DNA sequence: ATCCTCCCCTAC
DNA sequence: TAAGGTAGGGGAGGAT
């Protein structure tokens, strides 16, 4: 009967238990294996988001400069000087692109592609020169601006460039791969279906690409972004209107759906066979007339319902889905978030009654405790039914749908209905089977909220010790009241009934457990006193005894489906049976605490006290219904919504908590539900079905107090899953460990070291550091705050004022700094204009984080320049408000950011002197901008074991510091990666591995020997690489990799041998390249790895190469001690006399610690 | 022992 | 059609 669906294990249990059980099974497997490689198109804010003085200034003053720059750059391409002049390479002849915002590939790479293949690249937009605008994604609001700028030019996604390149011809803007992985899958499917064709096409990789391009043209969805911006705008605003004023016009909203779908997704893709859609290409939005009439009537019908939002039911069709879902639709969200609203509403009362916890052992008081448990009867129904007096004696339930065949869940059923077997949590269709006359009423969350407030007002009026359990349920400790508890209960119930016109039931007993059990047996609209057996020697005592004896264990609070099943296996069904079991046995089977609880509960023993609501220890939000995505940008978009709608308020709450107690909430946890392999569409409409959970968490060393930083972490996690977004069924993000604000100090309390690591950040000896600011990076945000208050350890007021903030680096900036998990730092290259060419006035108007980032690129010279140009501390202001790293304890406390940069650089150069880690005095501050890799399949660039650290330096360290370091790193990580690499794969024996004797030979000669070697190989991947190397003037590996990468994207399945051989050779090539270049051009190596890293989500081959060769780079870099500092991290702590900071080298983190002025490098 | 992390379980 | 959220307790197992 209560069977919810086959994908939710078990049934027959009370609704919620089954929901929980399903959650349990769904959450069970934690899978970190990568899914289909998928290019993550992390969305970035458009530059147009930043309209303001900055843009105006920039346009005004830099226009001419950029124009000149663009012209010269472009001419470079069209002149063809550095470009191959071959005819077939001029794929982009006549094309001139302007890249808007963040893209993958980056604008610089796109530029490279254009220049190498006859196209032009414009650094700024001009209607006269630009032929195509490239952008990955634009939120709705930006489309308008884009429209204004585009002047009707095609706005296309960057894949167009790649795929045109792959096809070796200019693809139509109107045809586009729906999704990278989709095309890959389709292509593979085609090949599988037609093996002979596959063989044929496999004669050369390039042929495959061409073939694919031709074959796929018909399958491709439009590439071009939809323009109809005006209409879109109109419709959007209309919709917004509609949702605010309970609309009356169905046409608009349904149309809006179509519109948004196009606007957001850029293409409408049918989800695997479920919803057939309406050829995403040609929905010319705004054309109301073209809508299906049945949809009209549906929508119209829906609109007659009280709920304003209608017919939007998934993330596919409704851009405001999550917001609406939480705001007006989800009952579970309502009851789940109720506690927070209660906290807010009654916080004064709560702080006033702080007594209960300190008297935890109050059994010293002889007085027997008296507990009242009170709970509204069928709460949701009672509230609604007030408006339908006729229905009181009819079976009634609250549910979203009255469809007798539907999978909507019953939220609550009145007692008439319960007699038929209708209960919360079952599907409405099952309820209708039990009770065909069941009347379904809709939700009214506002009414629930209002009644709940009345309810608690009354409770607080009668009793000072109130423990809220839920919106309709509370414990009262009336021990200290003189009045008979039963009379109190009566009075309260009476008042509740009069005030709310809803009934409540109460249980009175000596402890929480019995009171709650008493309530249950008193329902509905009754109350019951359940005396403890010891005191009452009478018939009542017998009642308790009997009551418990025959009580099914399932009735005990804390025993749900899983525990019940376990007990059933042990032949324990009732409390009486459980009493027969030894406590030790229970503890063995269920764990210490649970066993104890079981043993106590079946005897009616409960030692808990009534306590007020504690501070929240965690917050989170998730959606697991209606989640259907078409592509990654949707997911990002959804997350954004997520945090601007619901999560936003959560974050606000969090912020207030943080500012109040300076708390840490260092663990963030993203969870994604993915359809389980082979799982059918869920029985429950739009449900998540049988899912596999993927989750990732990170411990950040500082409180996250801004939702943008959260969002960025979340997006990074998200992209690291490499999940086929069509399989995504749910998303959740949680922040926990709020309580670490109260971490007690002990041990080496004045040392704090945080390291980033690939999977998560490790926090070691995490202490709250008062008195000093903490500046560290553990994600990719900057932690900043005002100057530390010295001396006043617990000056929370001061800390409030100087509350640190996280800078969300890509907030509203077009200066690409953070691009999600797969991105790399912008690499310093010839593209960087000379410092003196910058207009300082313009620069100064840039967003601060951009200045900082640029400053990094200019190695601090920019900030020098700015401060000089201003002649005062303008920059100081900027910097101290963002990266203030002031060490009050040293005499150079006034060191500015530029000093820091210089010192940092010096630090890098120093290292050349000796074969030791650099030693740096006087480093007060180093600015840092970078990110942490959370990509699980990518090894972080951080040295991964002590074996990579300089042992002599390590020896110098204080003992306690050493201990910390040991805690952070494995003592030794096997670094013979190349060996491991060959053996850890299941390589076919026939693969011809590079001969060890070839070492150092691959790169000798001109062209390098490998080019010919690869060319003559039978391996078509190597052939392709060789071809590109030959045709390229530039024999730098980074450049070759860039040009060849599009051809290594997954297109069709080659044999393992081919892959393995290619990987081995590429590994060897890279290894020898490192040896070759490490002393002369480490930046080139870095460029190679950056590129590999970013492309790796798309190319399994390159991912493997990256992973295998990276450690070689790490080791080499350390051994050579020529550390080219591309980016820095400033992470400065003043901890007593120990200062901790970390510096980013490339992507690896160095931790420096110095004590008493003596400065030691660890890693 | 005690902590930590990654889950599961439970309640409404 | 339908709105399967939220937060705390705690167990298993590894690290310290
Ligand atoms: N599976 C569930 C359980 C509960 N609720 C909501 C509706 C309930 O009205 C409210 C309170 O839950 P109770 O357990 O107190 O159930 P009722 O108040 O409905 O009935 P009872 O009279 O048993 O308390 O929470 C829900 O939406 N879904
Ligand atoms: Mg109730
Ligand atoms: Mg209740």
């Amino acid at each position: 009967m209560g069977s919810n669906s086959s994908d939710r294990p078990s049934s027959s249990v009370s609704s919620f238990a089954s929901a929980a059980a399903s959650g349990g099974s769904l959450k069970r497997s934690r899978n970190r294996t990568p899914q289909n490689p998928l290019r993550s198109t992390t969305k970035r804010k458009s530059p147009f988001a930043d309209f303001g003085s900055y843009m105006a200034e920039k346009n005004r003053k830099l226009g001419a400069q950029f124009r000149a720059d663009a012209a010269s750059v472009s001419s470079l391409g069209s002149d063809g000087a550095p470009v191959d002049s071959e005819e077939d390479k001029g794929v982009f002849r006549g094309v001139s692109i302007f890249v808007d915002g963040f893209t993958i590939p980056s604008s610089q790479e796109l530029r490279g592609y254009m220049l190498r293949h006859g196209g032009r690249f414009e650094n700024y937009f001009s209607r006269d020169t630009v032929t195509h605008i490239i952008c990955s994604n634009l939120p709705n609001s930006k489309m308008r601006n884009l429209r204004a700028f585009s002047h009707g030019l095609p706005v296309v996604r960057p894949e167009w460039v790649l795929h045109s390149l792959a096809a070796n011809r200019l693809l139509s803007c109107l045809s586009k791969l729906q999704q990278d992985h989709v095309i890959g899958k389709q292509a593979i499917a085609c090949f599988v279906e037609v093996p002979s064709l596959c063989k044929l096409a496999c004669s050369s990789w390039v042929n495959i690409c061409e073939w694919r391009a031709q074959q796929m043209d018909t399958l491709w969805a439009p590439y071009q972004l939809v323009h109809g911006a005006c209409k879109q705008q109109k419709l959007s605003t209309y919709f917004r209107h509609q949702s605010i004023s309970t609309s009356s016009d169905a046409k608009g909203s349904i149309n809006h759906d179509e519109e948004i779908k196009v606007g957001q997704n850029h293409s409408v893709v049918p989800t695997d066979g479920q919803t057939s859609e309406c050829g995403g290409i040609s929905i010319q939005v705004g054309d109301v007339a073209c809508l299906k009439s049945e949809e009209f009537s549906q929508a119209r019908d829906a609109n007659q319902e009280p709920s304003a939002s209608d017919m939007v039911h998934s993330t596919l069709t409704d851009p405001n889905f999550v917001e609406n879902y939480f705001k007006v639709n989800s009952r579970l969200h309502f009851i789940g978030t109720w506690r927070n609203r209660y906290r807010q509403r009654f916080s004064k009362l709560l702080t006033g009654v702080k007594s209960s916890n300190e008297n935890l052992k109050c059994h010293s008081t002889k007085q027997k405790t008296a507990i009242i448990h009170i709970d509204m009867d069928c709460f949701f129904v009672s509230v609604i039914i007030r408006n339908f007096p006729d229905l009181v004696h009819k079976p009634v339930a609250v549910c979203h749908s009255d469809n007798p065949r539907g999978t909507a869940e019953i939220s609550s059923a009145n007692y008439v209905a319960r007699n038929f077997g209708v209960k919360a949590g079952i599907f409405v269709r099952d309820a209708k089977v039990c009770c065909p006359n069941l009347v379904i009423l809709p939700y009214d969350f506002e009414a629930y909220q209002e009644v709940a407030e009345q309810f608690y007002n009354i409770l607080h009026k009668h009793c000072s010790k109130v423990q809220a359990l839920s919106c309709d349920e509370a414990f009262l400790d009336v021990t200290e009241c003189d009045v008979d508890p039963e009379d109190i209960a009566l009075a309260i119930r009476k008042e509740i009934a009069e005030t709310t016109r809803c009934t409540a039931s109460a249980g009175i007993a000596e402890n929480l457990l019995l009171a709650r059990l008493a309530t249950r047996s008193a329902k509905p609209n009754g109350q019951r006193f359940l005396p403890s057996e010891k005191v009452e020697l009478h018939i009542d005592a017998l009642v308790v005894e009997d009551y418990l004896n025959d009580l099914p264990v399932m009735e005990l609070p804390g025993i749900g489906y899983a525990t019940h099943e376990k007990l059933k296996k042990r032949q324990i069904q009732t409390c009486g049976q459980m009493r027969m079991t030894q406590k030790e046995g229970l503890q063995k089977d269920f764990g210490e605490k649970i066993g104890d609880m079981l043993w106590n509960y079946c005897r009616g023993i409960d030692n808990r006290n009534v306590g007020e609501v504690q501070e929240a220890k965690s917050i989170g939000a998730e959606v697991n219904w209606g989640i259907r995505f078409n592509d990654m940008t949707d997911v990002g978009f959804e997350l954004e919504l997520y945090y601007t709608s619901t999560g936003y308020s959560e974050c606000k709450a969090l912020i207030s908590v943080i500012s109040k107690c300076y708390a840490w909430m260092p663990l963030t946890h993203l969870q994604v539900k993915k359809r389980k392999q082979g799982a059918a569409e869920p029985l429950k409409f739009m449900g998540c079905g049988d899912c596999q959970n993927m989750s990732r968490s990170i411990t950040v060393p500082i409180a996250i107090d801004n939702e943008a930083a959260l969002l960025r972490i979340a997006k990074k996690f998200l992209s690291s899953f490499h999940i086929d977004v069509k399989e995504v069924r749910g998303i959740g993000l949680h922040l926990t460990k709020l309580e670490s604000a109260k971490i007690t100090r002990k041990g080496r309390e004045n040392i704090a070291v945080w390291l980033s690591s690939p999977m998560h950040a490790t926090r070691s000896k995490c202490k709250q550091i008062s008195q000093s600011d903490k500046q560290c990076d553990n994600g990719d945000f900057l932690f900043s705050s005002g100057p530390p208050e010295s001396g006043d350890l617990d000056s929370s007021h001061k800390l409030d004022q100087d509350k640190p903030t996280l800078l969300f680096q890509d907030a509203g900036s077009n200066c690409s700094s953070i691009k999600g998990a797969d991105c790399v730092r912008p690499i310093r290259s010839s593209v960087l204009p000379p410092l003196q060419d910058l207009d300082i006035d313009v620069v100064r108007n840039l967003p601060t984080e951009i200045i900082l980032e640029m400053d990094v690129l200019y190695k601090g010279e920019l900030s020098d320049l700015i401060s000089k140009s201003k002649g005062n501390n303008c920059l100081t202001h900027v910097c101290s408000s963002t990266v203030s790293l002031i060490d009050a304890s040293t005499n150079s406390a006034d060191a500015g950011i530029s000093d820091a940069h210089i010192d940092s650089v010096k630090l890098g150069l120093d290292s050349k002197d000796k074969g030791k880690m650099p030693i740096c005095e006087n480093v007060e501050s180093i600015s840092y901008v970078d990110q942490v890799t959370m990509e699980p399949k990518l090894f972080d660039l951080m040295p991964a074991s002590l074996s990579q650290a300089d042992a002599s330096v390590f020896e110098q360290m204080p003992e306690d510091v050493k201990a910390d370091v040991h805690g952070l790193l494995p003592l030794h990580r096997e670094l013979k990666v190349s060996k491991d690499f060959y053996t850890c794969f299941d390589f076919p024996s026939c693969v011809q591995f590079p001969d060890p004797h070839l070492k150092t030979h691959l790169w000798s000669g001109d062209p390098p020997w490998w080019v010919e070697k690869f060319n003559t190989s039978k391996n078509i991947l190597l052939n392709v690489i060789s071809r590109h190397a030959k045709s390229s003037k530039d024999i730098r590996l980074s450049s070759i990799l860039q040009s060849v990468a599009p051809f290594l994207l997954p297109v069709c399945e080659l044999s393992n041998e081919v892959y393995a051989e290619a990987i081995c050779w590429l590994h060897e090539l890279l290894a020898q390249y490192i040896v070759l270049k490490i002393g002369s051009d480490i930046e080139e190596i870095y460029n190679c790895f950056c590129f590999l890293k970013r492309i790796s989500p798309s190319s399994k081959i390159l991912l493997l190469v990256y992973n295998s060769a990276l450690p070689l780079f790490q080791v080499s870099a350390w051994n050579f001690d020529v550390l080219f500092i591309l980016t820095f991290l400033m992470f400065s702590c003043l901890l007593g006399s120990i200062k901790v900071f970390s510096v980013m080298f490339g992507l690896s983190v160095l931790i420096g610690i110095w004590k008493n002025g003596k400065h030691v490098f660890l890693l």
Side-chain angles (χ1 to χ4, degrees), chain A residues 774-831:
Chain A
K774 298 180 293 297
Q775 304 250 349
C776 61
D777 172 286
N778 206 346
D780 41 16
F781 34 76
L782 290 178
F783 178 92
S784 71
S785 67
E789 272 305 298
S790 43
D792 188 0
L793 286 190
D794 294 307
S795 151
S796 56
H797 310 292
K798 207 59 201 176
L799 289 171
D800 264 0
Q801 267 182 15
D802 299 328
K803 192 168 77 66
T805 55
L806 294 171
L807 298 179
F808 184 36
Q809 290 176 347
D810 55 338
S813 85
N814 67 345
C815 181
S816 62
S817 63
I818 299 302
K819 307 166 183 173
D822 314 314
C823 78
V824 290
R825 300 275 317 136
I827 297 165
R828 186 178 181 188
S829 70
S830 54
V831 180

Side-chain angles (χ1 to χ4, degrees), chain A residues 888-1145:
Chain A
S889 79
T890 67
N891 47 13
S892 45
D894 53 349
I897 185 99
S898 48
D899 287 346
H901 280 292
I902 289 165
D903 283 345
S904 315
V905 173
K906 185 179 79 188
L907 179 146
L909 299 176
D910 279 350
S911 67
K912 279 180 184 162
D913 300 347
K914 316 182 235 165
K916 295 224 184 262
M917 287 298 132
I919 301 236
C920 178
E921 314 286 347
N922 299 329
V923 172
E924 287 309 322
S925 56
I926 301 170
S927 90
Y928 160 78
V929 185
D930 210 315
Q931 64 184 3
V932 162
T933 298
M934 296 175 201
E935 169 52 64
K937 294 304 287 182
L938 294 173
F939 294 126
D940 202 17
L941 286 155
M942 183 184 74
S945 85
L946 285 181
S947 60
Q948 288 166 265
D950 185 306
S952 62
V953 173
F954 184 69
E955 278 313 305
Q956 297 174 32
M957 298 183 327
E959 283 305 318
D960 48 1
V961 177
K962 278 191 215 171
D964 276 353
V965 176
H966 275 294
L968 289 166
L969 293 176
L971 267 181
H972 180 63
R973 190 178 78 161
E974 187 56 59
L975 280 174
K976 294 168 196 141
V977 178
S978 47
K979 179 166 166 276
D980 286 355
F981 170 67
Y982 291 122
T983 53
C984 73
F985 283 94
D986 193 16
F987 283 153
S989 52
C990 61
V991 170
Q992 188 201 355
F993 292 114
D995 181 349
H997 299 303
L998 293 179
K999 291 233 165 174
T1000 73
H1001 290 138
L1002 283 180
W1003 285 95
S1004 60
D1006 187 16
W1009 183 71
W1010 66 267
V1011 176
E1012 194 47 36
K1013 172 79 186 164
F1014 280 21
N1015 192 35
T1016 55
S1017 160
K1018 290 198 193 79
N1019 187 307
I1020 74 163
L1021 293 170
L1022 297 180
N1023 300 155
V1024 173
I1025 296 166
S1026 173
R1027 269 173 66 164
H1028 278 265
K1030 272 189 187 167
S1031 63
S1032 168
K1033 288 277 191 303
D1034 187 351
I1035 61 144
R1036 284 181 311 158
L1037 186 57
S1038 60
S1039 140
I1040 293 167
L1041 285 173
Q1042 286 194 22
S1043 71
V1044 82
F1047 301 91
L1048 299 178
L1049 301 180
V1051 172
C1052 98
E1053 281 169 336
L1054 292 171
S1055 70
N1056 270 351
E1057 287 88 337
V1058 176
Y1059 277 124
E1061 192 184 9
I1063 291 164
C1064 292
W1065 279 99
L1066 280 173
H1067 171 88
E1068 196 55 42
L1069 191 64
L1070 207 46
Q1072 296 190 20
Y1073 198 56
I1074 292 169
V1075 173
L1076 180 73
K1077 291 282 183 186
I1078 192 76
S1080 58
D1081 191 3
I1082 197 169
E1083 183 181 3
E1084 158 65 5
I1085 304 176
Y1086 180 70
N1087 290 348
C1088 290
F1089 278 97
C1090 287
F1091 178 76
L1092 285 176
K1093 180 178 177 180
R1094 201 195 49 260
I1095 202 77
S1096 59
S1098 312
S1099 167
K1100 198 174 158 195
I1101 303 171
L1102 296 180
L1103 168 70
L1104 290 169
V1105 171
Y1106 174 85
N1107 277 342
S1108 71
L1110 178 60
L1112 301 176
F1113 179 36
Q1114 291 174 347
V1115 173
S1116 304
W1118 291 110
N1119 289 342
F1120 273 77
D1121 255 11
V1122 272
L1123 300 170
F1124 186 87
I1125 303 178
L1126 292 159
T1127 52
F1128 312 119
L1129 159 62
M1130 178 58 203
F1131 157 25
S1132 164
C1133 300
L1134 172 60
L1135 308 165
S1137 60
I1138 294 186
K1139 197 169 186 179
V1140 182
F1141 72 97
S1142 73
V1143 183
M1144 204 74 166
F1145 281 75

Side-chain angles (χ1 to χ4, degrees), chain A residues 697-713:
Chain A
S697 54
I698 181 179
T699 303
V700 295
I702 51 173
I704 295 174
D705 69 345
N706 111 21
E707 68 270 23
L710 260 188
L711 179 61
R712 185 156 49 152
I713 293 175

Side-chain angles (χ1 to χ4, degrees), chain A residues 177-222:
Chain A
L177 303 184
Q178 293 173 357
Q179 258 179 277
D180 293 346
H181 69 280
V182 172
I183 190 70
K185 265 198 277 179
Q186 288 168 341
I188 288 169
C190 291
F191 282 124
V192 167
E193 282 165 24
V194 195
S196 58
L197 188 55
C198 175
K199 280 223 177 73
L200 203 67
C202 274
S203 58
S204 109
W205 190 255
V206 175
N207 281 350
I208 293 174
C209 294
E210 286 163 1
W211 180 86
R212 182 192 67 172
Q214 286 158 16
Q215 296 301 307
M216 291 304 150
D217 250 357
T218 54
L219 296 175
W220 290 358

Side-chain angles (χ1 to χ4, degrees), chain A residues 374-380 412 415 418 470 472-473 523:
Chain A
I374 187 157
D375 185 301
M376 304 291 289
D377 301 323
C378 50
F379 184 49
F380 281 15
S412 179
Y415 281 80
R418 284 187 210 196
S470 76
D472 85 326
E473 189 172 348
K523 273 179 176 291

Side-chain angles (χ1 to χ4, degrees), chain A residues 743-751 765-768:
Chain A
I743 279 182
T744 52
R745 300 156 158 262
K746 58 180 176 184
R748 301 178 295 276
E749 62 181 3
N750 55 353
I751 296 176
K765 307 302 164 233
C766 165
K767 308 282 186 296
Q768 175 159 19

Side-chain angles (χ1 to χ4, degrees), chain A residues 66-76 78 120-124:
Chain A
F66 280 2
R67 188 184 302 270
D69 184 38
S72 70
V73 163
S74 300
S75 67
L76 198 68
S78 51
R120 294 165 62 99
F121 177 89
E122 300 294 343
N123 278 320
Y124 81 112

